[in-house]
Structures are given as C-alpha cells and as structure tokens.
Amino acid sequence: MTLFDLVIRSMRKNIKHYYLYFFALILSVVLYFVFATLQYDSAILELSGTSMGTAFQAAGILLLFIAGIFVVYANSIFLKRRSREIGLYQLIGLTKRVVARLLIVENILLGVGALIIGIAVGLLVSRVFLLLLMKLIGYESFIEVSFSMAAVVQTILVFIGIFALTTIQMIVMVFRNTLLSLFNSDKAGEHPKKPKTGVSAFFGVFGLLLVGFGYWLSGRMLNELFFFNILIVLAAVIAGTYLLFRVTISWLLFKIRSRKEGHLGLLNSLSLAPLMHRLKGNANSLTVITILSAMTLTMVAFSYAMYYETERETDIRMPFDFMFDNNEAQANEIMGEMDQKGIGYQHGKVDMLVVPTMFEQGVFPGESFERPTAIISDKQLQAAGIDIAAPKDGSASYHDASSLSMFADSVDLPIKIEIQDEDRTTVEITKMGERNVINWSIFYGQLVVSDETYQSLKNKLSEMEGAKIEYIDGFHILEEKDQKTASAIFQQPKYTSSGPHVDYYSSYEESVQDNGLMIFIAGFLGLVFLISTGSILYFKQMTEAEQEKKSYVTLRQLGFTGKEIMKGIIRKQVFVFGLPLAIGLLHSIFAMKAASFFFQSDILMPATLAMGVYTLIYTAFAFLTIGYYRKTVNAAL
C-alpha cells in the first residue's frame, strides 16, 4: 500500500475528526481573506486616504496572530483526538518518519482545500462586509467589490506560514511521544492531587485580592503615573485571574467534594468531577480567554461609544458651524456668498480677552503650567447664538473640551485660576462646563463671566504684557440641508490660507469616517476572536464528550435517562462557558469605567449593547455544545 493510499483510507476513516480541523481552517481563511480584500480595495483607499490603509495593516497583523493561534489550537485538539490512531500506526510497524509524512500529506491536502474553499467563500461575503463598512463611514454611493490578486497572494502566503507551524506541531507530536503516552493522552489530568489546604487557601485568597486591587486602582488611575498604573492594573488582573482558575476555584471544588464525603450523586459526578479533573490543564486557556474577552469587549464597546456619540462629541468641540478669528473682511465676504446661494445663517460677533493664566497647584494631575485663557462675556455669547449663562455670584464657568476635560468630574469646586498680571488677579471657578463656547481651533481655555465682570477685567488687564483682545465672527447655519454647501464655501482656498480651518460639517464627516472605520475594525476583530474562542471551547467539549462516552453508556445501562444525564452536563457547560464570560464581562466593566474619563459622553448605552451581543453569540456556542452532548448521550446505547 502506497503512502497516498494510506492517506486516503485514513481520511475516510477519520472524517469525523477531520471536519472540525477543516472547518477551523476554512473559517480562518474566509475571515482573513475578507479583511485582506477590504484592505486592498482601491475605492476604499481613495475614499479615506492612507489612514484607512494604515489602520487595516495594523489590524491585519493582529488578525494574523488570532487566526494563527486558532488554527494551531484546533490542530492540537485534532492531534489529541487521533493520538490512539497514531499509536496504532506505530504499533503495526510504521516508523515515526512514515507516520509524520502521512500527517504532513494530510495537512497539505486539507490546507489546499481550505484555501480554495475559503477564498471562494470570502469573495462571496466580501460585499456584505464592504456594504457594512460603507454604511458605517457614511458613504452612500454604489461600490463594486473588486477582485484583488494582492489579497489572494497575501492570504496564501500567510496560511502557508500557519500550515508550516501546524506541520512542525505534527512532527513534534509524533517524535516526542512514546506509544504509552499516545494511548493514554485522553486520560491525562484525570487524577487531580489534593491541594494543600494552607497554601491553596493563601493563593486562592491572594488571587481574589489581586483582582480586587486591580479594580480599585482602575478607578484611581488619573494622575502623573497614569501609564504605570495601566501596567499595574493589567498585571494584577491577569495574575489574579490565573490564580482564580488555577487555585481558587480548584480549592473550592475540592471543599465541596470533601463535604459530600465522596457521595457526589449523579449531577455532581457529571459536572463537578470532570471540572476538577481537567481544571489544572484548562487554567491557562480559561485565563487567556477571559482576559482577551475583557480586552476585546472593552475595545468594541469604546469603538461603538465613539461612533455612537460622534455628533455630540463634535457639537461639544464646535459650538459654531464655522468661525473667523480676527478676520472681519473674510467674514463679510462669506456672508455675501451665502446670501447669493440663499443659505440661511445666524452671525454673531464676540470679542474676548486672552491672558496668560495658571490653575492653583493640585487642581489637575501633574505640575501646573501657564496657558492662555480667553475670558468671554456671556451676554455676547448669547447674542451670537450660544446658550450659556455665567454664574450669578460673579464667579466664572470654565470650558475646555480638550485633555483637561477628562479631569472635570474629579475637580473639587470651587477652584481658582490666577491671571499672570502684576497683581496676580484670581477668578473663582464654580462650574466646569461640558462643552466649548468657542470652536476648538483657537486652542484656548475659555472662561465665561458676566458682562459686568468681563468689562471690569478688560479695562484692568487689556494693557498687561501678554494680554490681547481677539475678535470672533461665528456662524450658525439655520437649515441642515445647507450645511454641506456652506462647508464647501468655507473650505475654499481663499479662506484657508492661515491657521487651523475647520467647520462643523467637515469635522463631523471626518469623525464619522474615522470612528466608523474604528468600529468596523474593532467589531471585525471582536467577531473573529469570539468565533475563535467559542470554537476552541466547543472543540474541547466535543473531545471531552468523546472521552466520557463510555461513562454515558454505563449510566444508561444502569437505568438513568438521557434527560437526567443532561442535567449534570448542562451544569458543567454553565461553568465552562459562563464563568469565563462572567469574569470577562466584570473585567470589561471596570476597564470601561477606568477609560470613561476620555469621553465627554455617556457610554452606558453602547457598552450595554456590545455586552449583550457578545453574550448572545457566546451563549450560542454553549447551546451548540449542549446539543452535541445530547446527541452523544442519546447514542450511548
């Protein structure tokens, strides 16, 4: 019998084992090829310039690692399920070299088939993802999906590399394992050692304390050690999660079993006992799945939050549709152009006193530094169409939708801001505003005071060194349908000759594109990760179901019904799928809470929606696993 004949007979015999690994290969190829197709699509790159291409390249590298880990892990499960078969080949006289060649040929055939099918399917589903991306970035024109040979070549090269890894994995498995280890691989870890009570209790509690410390510190990160705090939180939560799975839960399960004095009963025998036997081997994978689930969920939730709040975030930074700074001539010229085109608008003039200021030490993290602040009359702002009123007690409200805004909620009001004149004049701030009152392009902090206070400060400080009076011409476009036309007028070269030149409409459109791209990439990577981890858990549970099949036969022969057996199995799946999901969700909640300082808007809605979708998809894998167990139990007799 030739090697090829042996390969064909082996693949026919093991079709049940092959389809899982083959499915993992095809799924990875499809997802990677779809992403590569979008990355090289010329229409998309022309639409958004090089920024989109760079973002896709960075995401493609991460996707490569996820796909590689998924395929390698699926292959390890595949090889473990075939370990007895590999042992039998050697037992009947085949050398390890021949067995390795057999597995390599099988892997090549599976790889070529997966590439052909995956690329073909990827071509069909690429349009769906393209339409979704176009919808997210607000592009409504019709775009055809173009066949990209570069995407095909890149996908083939990437998966040749992945197949090389799985081939090495197969060779190592054949040459490093003895016949005895091959025949007993499915029994590994089935005799757990009794944990040392004192040591286990210490590390179990220590794991919980590490996670709790990480949660506590996540709410106190905004200081001069911000980036160092991030590292500490990550280290504490990851280490604590590992100890939670490796020690704490194992110790608790042993305590439960010891209290039962060996009389576990049917339900505990089908749920608690298998968990104890395999928890040591599964601690690493459960920790990785939990941590990456939390990170992925946080990434998706915040990407959606940024997209969800694009309009509000733009409105916070830009109260005027556009404005001119110290350029009355251009303001008058653009009014004439808008009048000619019949564009309705509201125009307001605002003068402001710009002075160097410093906050009192300790108000914000880090050293206090001098920065220019624009003092503005609330009366003038109201006349210009900005709905704002200064505090009535003569104090001020401070507005700055920049990096300082993330600290606004943690400031204990009132605070004082000191003007750097000879008298060190101070102004008391009793309110931190949520939004700018002047478009961000002037780069000033904005101090809103009553008109009387403004005139008094203007008379006193206008002649001081470093002070200046600036004039703003602000415009509100009255009809939404005219915003695009007005933006095109404002963006003419004759108006863009000096300084930052931004308007509300173009800024909003750019943010929609950037945030739409971000949520697409985050969502795509999250989907890939979720499918990968869900499939890994599904494959592992299928393997365990095969290993426990003899136990189900014995239980059925003893008279237990399939429904009674399934109750214990369902309890086990609640733990296997539910615990990593629950801990991952808890981790992500605290991560979102820590990162919410970067957002002016409420992220509760997008975060809840992302968690809901994530939980729904993860639950689907749990039901698939339960369905497979039910088939196995029903077939036990």
Side-chain angles (χ1 to χ4, degrees):
M1 182 182 295
T2 65
L3 178 64
F4 187 74
D5 291 332
L6 189 60
V7 169
I8 297 301
R9 294 187 65 176
S10 174
M11 294 183 74
R12 285 178 178 175
K13 179 183 177 182
N14 293 286
I15 186 67
K16 185 177 181 180
H17 297 311
Y18 278 108
Y19 82 88
L20 290 177
Y21 179 52
F22 194 48
F23 169 77
L25 290 177
I26 293 175
L27 182 62
S28 300
V29 172
V30 169
L31 293 172
Y32 189 86
F33 178 72
V34 167
F35 203 79
T37 299
L38 296 177
Q39 177 182 343
Y40 286 105
D41 192 285
S42 58
I44 297 177
L45 294 178
E46 290 175 4
L47 176 65
S48 297
T50 58
S51 61
M52 181 171 283
T54 303
F56 267 103
Q57 289 174 3
I61 295 173
L62 183 56
L63 179 60
L64 169 61
F65 281 105
I66 295 175
I69 293 172
F70 178 40
V71 172
V72 169
Y73 205 96
N75 187 47
S76 68
I77 296 175
F78 171 60
L79 290 174
K80 186 175 182 180
R81 296 183 71 172
R82 297 185 63 196
S83 58
R84 293 179 64 85
E85 177 198 348
I86 294 171
L88 284 172
Y89 283 141
Q90 297 180 39
L91 194 62
I92 62 175
L94 295 182
T95 65
K96 289 188 174 184
R97 185 181 298 273
V98 173
V99 176
R101 287 170 61 192
L102 168 67
L103 294 177
I104 291 171
V105 173
E106 290 179 357
N107 198 38
I108 292 174
L109 292 176
L110 290 173
V112 172
L115 279 172
I116 294 173
I117 297 173
I119 291 175
V121 174
L123 284 172
L124 296 177
V125 301
S126 291
R127 177 160 180 77
V128 176
F129 285 95
L130 177 63
L131 292 175
L132 176 61
L133 176 58
M134 294 297 99
K135 179 69 175 177
L136 289 172
I137 64 177
Y139 190 78
E140 299 181 358
S141 298
F142 183 79
I143 293 182
E144 288 283 356
V145 177
S146 57
F147 177 77
S148 173
M149 182 55 67
V152 174
V153 172
Q154 178 174 312
T155 302
I156 292 174
L157 292 176
V158 164
F159 279 89
I160 286 176
I162 293 176
F163 296 151
L165 288 176
T166 57
T167 299
I168 295 172
Q169 191 179 11
M170 291 175 174
I171 294 172
V172 171
M173 191 263 192
V174 171
F175 281 92
R176 291 191 62 180
N177 284 279
T178 63
L179 279 175
L180 185 62
S181 63
L182 288 171
F183 280 106
N184 292 314
S185 64
D186 59 341
K187 299 179 182 178
E190 292 203 358
H191 300 285
K193 296 180 180 179
K194 180 179 179 180
K196 297 178 181 179
T197 304
V199 175
S200 297
F202 171 77
F203 281 105
V205 173
F206 185 59
L208 293 174
L209 290 176
L210 280 175
V211 174
F213 171 73
Y215 289 170
W216 175 82
L217 185 59
S218 66
R220 295 164 175 79
M221 296 171 60
L222 290 176
N223 52 47
E224 58 271 11
L225 299 176
F226 178 72
F227 293 104
F228 183 67
N229 289 339
I230 292 178
L231 296 177
I232 294 178
V233 169
L234 286 175
V237 171
I238 292 173
T241 303
Y242 175 75
L243 290 175
L244 185 65
F245 284 113
R246 179 66 179 81
V247 181
T248 309
I249 296 174
S250 178
W251 180 67
L252 290 174
L253 292 178
F254 266 100
K255 284 294 183 183
I256 293 173
R257 192 177 74 167
S258 62
R259 286 187 177 183
K260 302 241 180 227
E261 297 180 350
H263 304 290
L264 294 178
L266 178 64
L267 294 182
N268 287 328
S269 296
L270 292 170
S271 56
L272 186 146
L275 291 172
M276 291 176 62
H277 295 159
R278 297 185 173 94
L279 195 57
K280 179 180 178 181
N282 292 338
N284 291 338
S285 59
L286 290 176
T287 300
V288 171
I289 289 172
T290 301
I291 295 299
L292 292 183
S293 294
M295 295 176 66
T296 303
L297 188 55
T298 303
M299 176 182 68
V300 172
F302 273 102
S303 299
Y304 182 64
M306 293 180 68
Y307 182 80
Y308 183 79
E309 294 290 347
T310 297
E311 183 174 1
R312 187 169 185 269
E313 292 285 338
T314 306
D315 186 56
I316 285 173
R317 292 182 289 111
M318 303 191 67
F320 293 106
D321 282 300
F322 55 85
M323 69 181 197
F324 291 93
D325 183 13
N326 297 319
N327 203 324
E328 186 178 3
Q330 287 191 343
N332 292 331
E333 185 177 355
I334 202 171
M335 282 192 285
E337 291 192 53
M338 288 193 293
D339 289 338
Q340 290 179 358
K341 293 185 178 292
I343 298 174
Y345 61 88
Q346 178 184 0
H347 167 241
K349 295 183 70 68
V350 177
D351 64 81
M352 54 189 186
L353 172 66
V354 181
V355 293
T357 62
M358 287 184 66
F359 283 102
E360 55 183 322
Q361 190 65 40
V363 172
F364 298 109
E367 293 293 326
S368 181
F369 59 93
E370 183 177 295
R371 67 192 306 260
T373 298
I375 303 175
I376 313 170
S377 162
D378 63 346
K379 184 177 180 180
Q380 293 188 44
L381 289 171
Q382 293 165 11
I386 305 298
D387 185 17
I388 187 72
K392 298 184 180 300
D393 58 0
S395 58
S397 61
Y398 188 80
H399 305 259
D400 187 355
S402 66
S403 58
L404 288 180
S405 61
M406 71 178 70
F407 303 104
D409 292 337
S410 61
V411 172
D412 294 325
L413 297 173
I415 59 175
K416 295 186 182 298
I417 187 170
E418 184 180 89
I419 301 172
Q420 303 301 292
D421 61 331
E422 292 182 356
D423 298 330
R424 292 294 189 265
T425 303
T426 60
V427 178
E428 186 176 67
I429 298 172
T430 56
K431 180 181 179 182
M432 299 294 289
E434 291 184 350
R435 60 186 65 223
N436 285 343
V437 293
I438 299 293
N439 288 7
W440 66 266
S441 55
I442 63 170
F443 300 113
Y444 299 149
Q446 299 147 36
L447 203 63
V448 178
V449 297
S450 66
D451 190 60
E452 295 79 7
T453 303
Y454 173 72
Q455 296 300 333
S456 174
L457 291 172
K458 182 179 178 181
N459 293 333
K460 177 182 179 181
L461 303 172
S462 58
E463 300 299 326
M464 68 170 278
E465 183 179 355
K468 56 183 177 180
I469 303 294
E470 294 193 6
Y471 299 90
I472 297 296
D473 286 275
F475 292 86
H476 295 284
I477 305 303
L478 301 181
E479 298 288 340
E480 186 176 347
K481 63 182 178 64
D482 294 329
Q483 287 185 340
K484 184 175 181 180
T485 304
S487 174
I489 295 173
F490 182 70
Q491 292 296 335
Q492 293 179 91
K494 63 182 178 180
Y495 296 128
T496 62
S497 57
S498 61
H501 196 78
V502 293
D503 65 277
Y504 179 90
Y505 180 83
S506 60
S507 181
Y508 172 73
E509 291 293 307
E510 183 179 351
S511 295
V512 167
Q513 288 192 11
D514 291 342
N515 294 336
L517 171 63
M518 183 178 296
I519 190 177
F520 177 82
I521 291 176
F524 193 93
L525 292 177
L527 178 65
V528 171
F529 173 78
L530 185 57
I531 291 175
S532 300
T533 54
S535 298
I536 287 171
L537 287 176
Y538 178 55
F539 293 167
K540 284 175 68 68
Q541 291 306 300
M542 290 179 71
T543 302
E544 292 181 12
E546 293 293 328
Q547 294 171 355
E548 297 166 0
K549 193 170 183 178
K550 292 181 181 179
S551 301
Y552 304 148
V553 173
T554 302
L555 290 171
R556 293 296 298 273
Q557 290 173 340
L558 291 174
F560 292 102
T561 66
K563 187 175 293 186
E564 289 173 326
I565 296 173
M566 285 304 301
K567 287 181 180 179
I569 292 173
I570 291 173
R571 182 184 293 185
K572 173 188 171 185
Q573 299 312 311
V574 169
F575 177 92
V576 171
F577 283 91
L579 192 61
L581 176 63
I583 297 176
L585 288 174
L586 191 61
H587 287 350
S588 65
I589 288 172
F590 280 91
M592 292 178 204
K593 182 180 179 181
S596 62
F597 294 103
F598 293 99
F599 291 87
Q600 293 289 315
S601 308
D602 185 12
I603 66 167
L604 178 62
M605 172 66 179
T608 303
L609 183 60
M611 288 182 176
V613 172
Y614 199 89
T615 303
L616 186 64
I617 297 175
Y618 217 68
T619 304
F621 279 103
F623 279 110
L624 286 174
T625 304
I626 293 172
Y628 185 84
Y629 265 96
R630 182 172 283 109
K631 290 181 181 178
T632 304
V633 171
N634 291 337
L637 287 179

